[in-house]
């Protein structure tokens, strides 16, 4: 227990406006003691990378329900890599077909959480990877 | 509603019953410490006439009569069933046209167009911001050319069309009018609805472009234009659906939707329109969620409350101005990726609640929507679900079959009262456009509570927190061709090479000029789209004049 809270950026890449899930997760992570920044809607991958660096986060949690995840999620990982920030854990969630998951993981998204996942599962996953606050 | 001595006798019997009940529950506790609806309204063990003793006989009335609690038509579905209108759209206009014709062949009675996100936010398919989004959650429409393809061989004088489009609704309506003209159909023959509900975009759905005051102006331009030229068109569908999907309760859904409705009526009156000239063409859109009786009561309460608002607050005289007519969609957010076939049952009960609540039109969701866009076979089951309710089970054979149920009447009264209190609060904040963040906060609080209830097991979701099982995902999911974006972009290159660009530029300049004045923009949009100005170009001009809305982040 380092005592320093885990910082997480919750982001909505692309044009999708459904942010119920993103906000619920943001709140749940906050209630679990993490520091959470939510970017709001319609962020480009570049803007998300910029915000992640500026806020010095350990985790970026992306949410997309529009089907544009194959284009948008890897672009965030790639952007972080270019800024030498590939130590930041990138997670994805939303309506993601099973067959897309292996490709997303091969492109550096650490884990994908699909509908029905409990917020506790996500909290435990982050704490397992980044260390409990 | 009941004689005093009857109520006295029921009260006595109830006291005896309560004593019995207490003894019983002391020995054997009930399944749950408390029973409440999804809006948190306490549910009694049993309901009797006492529970509706305070209800005025006038609050119930007859169907087709003020305050329309029991429905907007005197005989409801005995005359005609609701419109079975499945929301559809994906990929290119060609592909969606094929799905439309398939659904019409299968007995669907109205079309409902889903547009992709770039179209909803006013970007052409070749805009960098459209990358990865083209054709994904709906059909990509860049210009009149796409609209012509979308409605190819579909007679617009016979089919009614609903278009789920908000921020650029005026431009898509202009395209629809232009396609009809090409088919030889006059605009006064057109039947259908544009969603055109921008306030819920700021509150819950997120596909806004312009700041509220400019969006409201586009909406009143549509009201004014259609009142004169497209008289059978529903100029707005004031939508609680997305508010509910964003996590609100049933009470909040009614309250926030009607508060938005009040804002539109006020804006149109402020723009100089007479309430009875536009109010008959206002329509609504609600969600049918899982809590069966609360949903039925919700529809009844919304109808009654709106009738009172229109009469008492806005002084509407025309009976049609007082009627809340609505489309319903079953709740997408209740569908699970786990055991997707169970979704068929969820949808059926939700659809039944909409019918028992008196809906005018209905979309039933498909079982695979938590996984992908619906496949042909899934959308067919969804449509058949409506047909079973309409033709086989007798639910449509009498009007408001649950009217007079002590429970449903009590719930209807409670929802009306609680929604009214919310509306008063929004009035105090200066009306819906000023209360956007308040509504967002209330919705988020409800959404978070709902999620917590699922995680702690208070709320059971089959397959998610109870009766889980190992399973394989279905294999026949619909996949949008990843090349659709490229195909749309190629089409745009060709379009820009072939059209009269000088004329397009002039028409775009006209729009720019008129946007800065108060003149009605609709005729200018129609002229521009007829000459193949694209949606992205027109919205680009408007962005220049109106600016763009910046979201306040609330959670």
């Amino acid at each position: 227990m380092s005592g320093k809270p885990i910082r997480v950026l919750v982001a909505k890449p692309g044009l999708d406006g459904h942010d119920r899930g993103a906000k619920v997760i943001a709140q749940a992570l906050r209630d679990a003691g993490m520091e959470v920044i939510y970017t709001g809607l319609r962020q480009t991958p570049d803007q998300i990378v910029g915000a992640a660096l500026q806020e010095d986060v350990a985790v970026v949690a992306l949410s997309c329900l529009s089907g544009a995840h194959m284009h948008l999620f890897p672009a965030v990982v790639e952007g972080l890599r270019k800024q030498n920030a590939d130590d930041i854990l990138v997670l994805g969630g939303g309506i993601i077909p099973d067959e897309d998951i292996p490709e997303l993981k091969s492109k550096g998204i650490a884990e994908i959480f699909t509908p029905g996942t409990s917020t506790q599962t996500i909290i435990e996953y982050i704490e397992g990877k980044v260390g409990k606050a | 509603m009941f004689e005093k001595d009857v109520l006295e006798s029921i009260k006595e019997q109830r006291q005896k019953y309560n004593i019995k009940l207490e003894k019983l529950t002391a020995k054997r506790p009930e399944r749950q410490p408390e029973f409440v609806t999804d809006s948190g309204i306490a549910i009694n063990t049993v309901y009797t006439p006492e529970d509706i003793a305070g209800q005025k006989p006038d609050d119930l009335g007859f169907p087709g009569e003020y305050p329309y609690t029991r429905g907007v038509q005197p005989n409801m579905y005995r005359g005609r069933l609701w419109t079975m209108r499945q929301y559809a759209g994906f990929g290119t206009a060609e592909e969606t046209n094929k799905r439309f014709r398939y659904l019409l062949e299968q007995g669907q009675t109205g079309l409902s167009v889903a547009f992709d996100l770039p179209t909803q936010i006013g970007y052409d398919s070749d805009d960098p911001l459209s990358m990865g989004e083209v054709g994904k959650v709906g059909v990509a429409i860049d210009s009149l050319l796409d609209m012509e393809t979308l409605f190819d061989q579909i007679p617009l004088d016979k089919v009614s069309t609903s278009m789920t489009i908000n921020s650029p609704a005026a431009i898509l309506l202009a395209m629809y009018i232009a396609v009809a003209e090409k088919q030889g159909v006059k605009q006064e023959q057109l039947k259908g609805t544009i969603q055109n509900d921008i306030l819920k975009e700021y509150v819950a759905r997120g596909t806004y472009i312009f700041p509220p005051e400019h969006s409201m102006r586009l909406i009143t331009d549509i009201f004014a234009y259609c009142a004169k030229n497209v008289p059978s068109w529903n100029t707005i569908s004031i939508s609680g659906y997305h508010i509910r999907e964003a996590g609100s309760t049933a009470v909040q859904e009614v309250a926030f939707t009607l508060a938005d409705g009040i804002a539109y009526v006020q804006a149109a009156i402020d723009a100089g329109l007479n309430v009875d000239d536009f109010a008959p063409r206002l329509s609504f859109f609600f969600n049918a969620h899982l809590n069966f009786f609360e949903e039925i009561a919700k529809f009844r309460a919304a109808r009654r409350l709106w009738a009172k608002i229109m009469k008492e607050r806005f002084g509407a005289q025309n009976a049609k101005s007082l009627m809340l007519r609505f489309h319903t969609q079953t709740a997408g957010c209740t569908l699970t990726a786990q055991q997707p076939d169970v979704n068929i049952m969820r949808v059926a009960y939700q659809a039944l609640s909409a019918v028992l609540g008196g809906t005018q039109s209905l979309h039933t969701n498909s079982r695979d929507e938590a996984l992908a866009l619906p496949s042909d076979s899934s959308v067919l089951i969804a449509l058949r679900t409506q047909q079973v309710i309409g033709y086989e089970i007798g639910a449509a054979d009498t009007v408001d079959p649950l009217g007079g149920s002590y429970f449903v009447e009590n719930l209807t009264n409670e929802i009306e009262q609680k929604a009214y209190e919310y509306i008063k609060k929004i009035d105090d904040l200066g009306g819906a456009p000023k209360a956007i963040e308040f509504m967002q906060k209330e919705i988020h609080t409800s959404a978070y509570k709902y999620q917590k209830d699922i995680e702690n097991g208070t709320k059971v979701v089959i397959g998610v927190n109870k009766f889980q099982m190992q399973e394989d995902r279905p294999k026949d999911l619909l996949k949008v061709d990843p090349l659709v974006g490229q195909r749309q972009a190629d089409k745009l290159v060709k379009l820009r090479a072939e059209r009269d660009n000088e004329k397009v530029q002039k028409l775009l300049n006209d729009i720019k000029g008129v946007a800065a004045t108060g003149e009605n923009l609709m005729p200018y949009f129609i002229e521009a789209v007829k000459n193949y100005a694209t949606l992205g170009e027109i919205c680009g001009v408007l962005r220049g004049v109106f600016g763009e809305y910046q979201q306040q982040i609330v959670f």
Side-chain angles (χ1 to χ4, degrees), chain B residues 433-446:
Chain B
K434 294 221 166 66
I436 288 167
E437 283 152 39
F438 166 74
M439 292 192 270
Q440 282 181 334
K441 191 129 189 87
E442 293 291 301
I443 293 167
H444 172 65
T445 303
S446 300

Side-chain angles (χ1 to χ4, degrees), chain B residues 38-96:
Chain B
D38 284 352
S39 291
I41 298 170
I43 303 173
N44 300 340
T45 315
V46 70
Y47 287 80
T48 72
E50 279 180 293
D51 296 297
I52 53 169
Q55 179 176 311
K56 298 187 205 97
D58 291 351
D59 270 355
L60 190 55
F62 270 80
E65 284 175 25
Y66 185 83
Y68 306 100
T69 314
R70 310 197 66 180
V72 293
Q73 291 121 9
N75 65 347
M76 290 299 287
Y77 309 128
R78 285 169 69 106
R80 194 173 72 86
L81 291 179
W82 60 94
T83 305
M84 298 182 187
R85 196 191 289 282
Q86 295 294 100
Y87 181 51
F90 59 94
T92 60
E94 283 89 352
E95 287 167 285
T96 300

Side-chain angles (χ1 to χ4, degrees), chain B residues 157-173:
Chain B
D157 53 342
K158 300 211 168 59
V159 168
S160 87
T161 304
S162 162
M163 295 194 278
T164 301
I165 192 77
N166 295 283
S167 213
I171 301 155
L172 271 299
L173 176 61

Side-chain angles (χ1 to χ4, degrees), chain B residues 3 51 105 116 246 256 281 353-354 375 440 460 499 515 555:
Chain B
E3 298 290 338
D51 296 297
E105 274 164 29
D116 72 357
F256 299 168
R281 298 318 311 169
S353 74
S375 64
Q440 282 181 334
V460 172
R499 65 183 186 184
F555 80 94

